[in-house]
Amino acid sequence: QWEKKRRPELLRMFSEQEYGVTPQSTDIKVKYELVASNPKAMSGLATQKQVLFHFTGKNGKTHQALLLLYIPNGIKERVPVIVSYNFHGNQTTTLEDDVIPSPLNELMKSEGSEKWVRGEQASRWSYELALRHGYAVATMNYHDIFPDSPDLRKFSILPLLPEYKNDLREANEWGSIGVWAWGYSRIADYLEKEKWIDKNCMVVLGHSRLGKTALWAGVQDKRFKVVISNDSGCGGAALSKRVFGENIARITANFPHWFCPAFNIYSENEAAMPFDQHELLALVAPRHVYVASAEDDQWADPKGEYLSAYYAGQVYHLYNMQGLPSEKQPAIHQPLHYDIGYHIRSGKHDVTEYDWECYLDFCDKVFSAKKE
Ligand code: GTR
């Protein structure tokens, strides 16, 4: 009943009323061009590849996005991969000086800004840790798929779609979260063909708005076996009906392009929603979902994020899988790794090495259980 009736019903609600409907077929062709590679990146720890995605629409319009991939060296078999967008360009995720700046940098960056420089966000990217754990990591700047501003839709992949209109949005038309999620699936398309990647062990991970995106991507694309939300908050893991921290009125006012226009109906009106975010997490089952919170990130409602992960457990039980054991949120730095994962750490809204350690431990558990 869950698979035949309730899951499709919920998926339809999230599509029609929150993120917008992902087009069934976009008729966008993608070609991959290896623009750089380095077999001895990170002091020999990894092979680095930079792959330019060339998108072409049926209408002849084109678009480009740049993927950065690190694959651990010295492992004889295919490896799992963590796919995760970055906020400020591939070049900000590491100090390695051969990483090419992401194409849409110039469009987004304000003059004189200290952001966007090489290595600026490296603390959020525990590449070495992941590589030593035997994981590949693939990243792309999310602005490459849809520059994150309501005025910049025309620079996104959207104009490649025949039905695209710049000024008018249908009530259920996908917002940028939906478009970014589509982009995650295009990265999965590429990785499936990559010789050293184990396509049965693909993980999608995102922070904050990109955590919302990772969840939506993971729900729709079953190739992602572990779906990780880092501090995703409102419109991500946090329950909307608690109306704690960021709410629907604020998020839709500040970021009108993220969701479909129909989501505005629930602004100041969460109680009327026929669904809530725990049901989004449940749509990942029987694959694995992980929610992480930060103590000082009250804007994202850590308790609402936890409860959502807890209530998703009801669907995991249908598969004889184990959800989180108690409605009571665990203490700081006490990760819970059942078939659903959760941790809360000290500190602010961010991605830290501690978060990566927890994710890698959880993924190890999931993937080694599969091999047995
Ligand atoms: C905030 C927004 C959050 C979260 C965050 C981020 O401004 O209110 O929903 O997505 O941005 O992405 O860092």
Side-chain angles (χ1 to χ4, degrees):
Q1 204 183 20
W2 163 254
E3 287 182 358
K4 293 214 172 69
K5 189 160 184 284
R6 187 58 174 154
R7 190 180 189 280
E9 194 171 83
L10 282 166
L11 192 55
R12 211 159 32 243
M13 283 195 261
F14 284 107
S15 299
E16 296 280 346
Q17 302 182 40
E18 185 163 353
Y19 305 105
V21 179
T22 307
Q24 279 299 308
S25 158
T26 55
D27 261 328
I28 293 177
K29 295 225 157 45
V30 194
K31 282 208 173 117
Y32 311 109
E33 182 191 0
L34 182 68
V35 288
S37 64
N38 177 357
K40 290 203 161 52
M42 309 243 165
S43 315
L45 194 61
T47 295
Q48 173 253 68
K49 290 187 176 185
Q50 300 181 69
V51 182
L52 194 59
F53 287 32
H54 296 270
F55 298 97
T56 307
K58 229 180 163 191
N59 56 13
K61 297 214 166 94
T62 59
H63 188 86
Q64 293 184 348
L66 184 61
L67 185 81
L68 168 64
L69 172 64
Y70 286 108
I71 305 170
N73 282 337
I75 300 181
K76 296 263 158 5
E77 50 195 46
R78 290 169 183 265
V79 295
V81 61
I82 297 178
V83 185
S84 186
Y85 282 128
N86 62 72
F87 278 77
H88 289 158
N90 297 345
Q91 78 287 356
T92 65
T93 66
T94 168
L95 284 162
E96 298 268 295
D97 57 13
D98 52 1
V99 174
I100 305 166
S102 293
L104 282 170
N105 260 6
E106 293 312 314
L107 200 62
M108 297 303 301
K109 168 171 136 186
S110 43
E111 223 177 307
S113 165
E114 283 171 15
K115 293 179 178 168
W116 304 84
V117 300
R118 191 169 300 283
E120 166 246 326
Q121 299 222 317
S123 69
R124 288 186 172 182
W125 294 87
S126 295
Y127 286 130
E128 284 207 23
L129 184 79
L131 290 161
R132 288 188 198 284
H133 241 84
Y135 286 67
V137 183
T139 188
M140 181 183 276
N141 184 209
Y142 79 129
H143 297 298
D144 278 7
I145 298 295
F146 189 134
D148 190 1
S149 154
D151 309 327
L152 296 176
R153 297 177 84 220
K154 58 177 180 291
F155 297 105
S156 74
I157 59 104
L158 288 177
L160 276 60
L161 298 172
E163 65 274 19
Y164 168 75
K165 301 178 214 73
N166 193 37
D167 46 353
L168 188 83
R169 290 184 64 209
E170 307 285 342
N172 67 358
E173 192 173 322
W174 56 350
S176 61
I177 292 178
V179 181
W180 295 322
W182 176 90
Y184 266 141
S185 291
R186 304 294 69 79
I187 298 175
D189 295 343
Y190 169 76
L191 291 170
E192 273 192 325
K193 300 193 189 83
E194 174 63 59
K195 190 170 152 212
W196 289 107
I197 299 297
D198 183 346
K199 65 175 182 179
N200 297 315
C201 296
M202 293 207 268
V203 179
V204 62
L205 157 66
H207 169 59
S208 205
R209 67 197 67 182
L210 299 175
K212 312 180 208 297
T213 302
L215 288 170
W216 186 228
V219 160
Q220 296 177 92
D221 192 331
K222 294 183 176 170
R223 291 174 296 177
F224 293 117
K225 299 296 189 259
V226 182
V227 180
I228 305 176
S229 145
N230 189 92
D231 306 356
S232 63
C234 179
L239 292 173
S240 302
K241 293 189 189 200
R242 273 172 47 81
V243 199
F244 182 98
E246 187 170 33
N247 59 24
I248 295 180
R250 295 172 97 153
I251 204 167
T252 52
N254 290 338
F255 308 103
H257 57 299
W258 283 3
F259 301 92
C260 68
F263 197 40
N264 299 346
I265 304 168
Y266 301 114
S267 158
E268 312 277 0
N269 194 20
E270 280 88 352
M273 291 174 80
F275 56 91
D276 208 338
Q277 299 302 114
H278 62 301
E279 288 162 320
L280 181 75
L281 304 186
L283 292 177
V284 176
R287 293 166 294 129
H288 297 265
V289 68
Y290 195 117
V291 174
S293 309
E295 191 182 16
D296 301 338
D297 186 18
Q298 292 300 316
W299 185 238
D301 186 16
K303 185 164 183 200
E305 292 181 321
Y306 177 76
L307 286 176
S308 188
Y310 172 71
Y311 287 117
Q314 293 178 357
V315 170
Y316 280 77
H317 297 158
L318 297 175
Y319 291 99
N320 284 326
M321 294 172 84
Q322 246 187 317
L324 300 170
S326 154
E327 212 177 1
K328 191 167 173 294
Q329 202 175 2
I332 305 292
H333 302 145
Q334 300 293 323
L336 298 175
H337 291 177
Y338 296 89
D339 287 312
I340 297 176
Y342 179 84
H343 73 256
I344 177 164
R345 60 158 171 79
S346 58
K348 63 179 172 65
H349 187 69
D350 199 2
V351 193
T352 67
E353 182 112 339
Y354 176 79
D355 296 315
W356 279 85
E357 278 165 12
C358 293
Y359 301 147
L360 289 163
D361 286 350
F362 183 78
C363 292
D364 279 353
K365 205 174 151 194
V366 169
F367 296 142
S368 65
K370 269 206 199 150
K371 282 182 190 140
E372 274 160 18

